[in-house]
Amino acid sequence: MATKTNKPEGEMSFLDHLEELRWHLIRATLAVVIIGVLAFIFRDFIFNQIIFAPSYPDFISYEYLCKISQVFGSSNGCDTEMNFIIQNRTMAGQFSAAIWTSIMTGFILGFPYIIYEFWRFVAPGLHPNERKNSRGFIFVSSFLFFLGVLFGFYLIAPLSINFLATFTVGDQVKNEFDISSYIGLVRMSALSAGLIFELPIIIYFFTKIGLVTPEFLRKYRKYALVIVLIVSAVITPPDISTQVIVSIPILILYEVSIFISAFVVKQEKRRLKKEKHLRTGA
């Protein structure tokens, strides 16, 4: 296969693009694996101090969640008597939990590098001024992702664990949660929130390719509100105060996305006007 250096810039074939994408994916996967191996080595700290932390009554979030819930006239989050145990029912259950948790840790901590490899793949197809205006892409997307992960871990996960651990249908039923179920809840809370917080970045690219406009986002704001409430209801316990607490940051992100979309449209109009001026001036 001919290499990229034998062709003028911008004339890579489809197979060349696939080859380039393959190496970007390989490097991103390798970063996740390396971090995952380190996470597996330090699994005792990760499980005892991070993964299982929301199951402890003295977890830092519960005191603040109780005060916030009381503002809304609810007591959800104030009962921190964690009357449950986490158990393993399969031979390879704990080993499997350690492996998948290490991979999840590798993905979360390696997210900036994954975004960096993605950016290296798409950057050559952008205009020079677009690359200049998007220098902070890696930092902003990583910051939003980590902010979402922390939001999910310190807010959604403890709210869900506290509600499900204290909910009962009778005194005869004891809560004995399987380790895969518990870790799955923590993982879903953190990763889903991290990806939801990428909304401004997604809107940025959708605006760039013309799929959305600020007018479209403003027009369907009320429908977005309904969707946000539905998402909040799905990823949180059925408590109105919890849903309000979770939905507020998402609504703020939506409004920020409208601002970003309007900025992109403005920049695109300015670029087209400048190109037209150069053509007519020539």
Side-chain angles (χ1 to χ4, degrees), residues 59-71:
F59 185 56
I60 188 172
S61 297
Y62 290 125
E63 178 182 355
Y64 297 100
L65 290 174
C66 178
K67 294 179 180 179
I68 295 174
S69 297
Q70 289 175 345
V71 172

Side-chain angles (χ1 to χ4, degrees), residues 143-144 147-148 151 193-201 203 217 228 246-260:
F143 173 77
L144 289 174
L147 187 64
F151 178 78
L195 295 177
I196 288 174
F197 271 57
E198 291 294 300
L199 179 62
I201 303 297
I203 294 299
L217 295 175
V228 167
V246 172
S247 62
I248 288 176
I250 302 177
L251 291 175
I252 294 175
L253 287 173
Y254 187 84
E255 295 299 324
V256 171
S257 299
I258 295 177
F259 173 80
I260 291 175

Side-chain angles (χ1 to χ4, degrees), residues 20-39:
E20 190 73 12
L21 177 61
R22 184 172 74 91
W23 281 107
H24 286 298
L25 293 176
I26 289 175
R27 286 190 290 267
T29 303
L30 186 61
V32 173
V33 171
I34 293 174
I35 299 174
V37 170
L38 294 175

Side-chain angles (χ1 to χ4, degrees), residues 46-60:
I46 291 175
F47 275 92
N48 293 325
Q49 302 299 323
I50 300 177
I51 300 296
F52 293 141
S55 67
Y56 304 146
D58 59 348
F59 185 56
I60 188 172

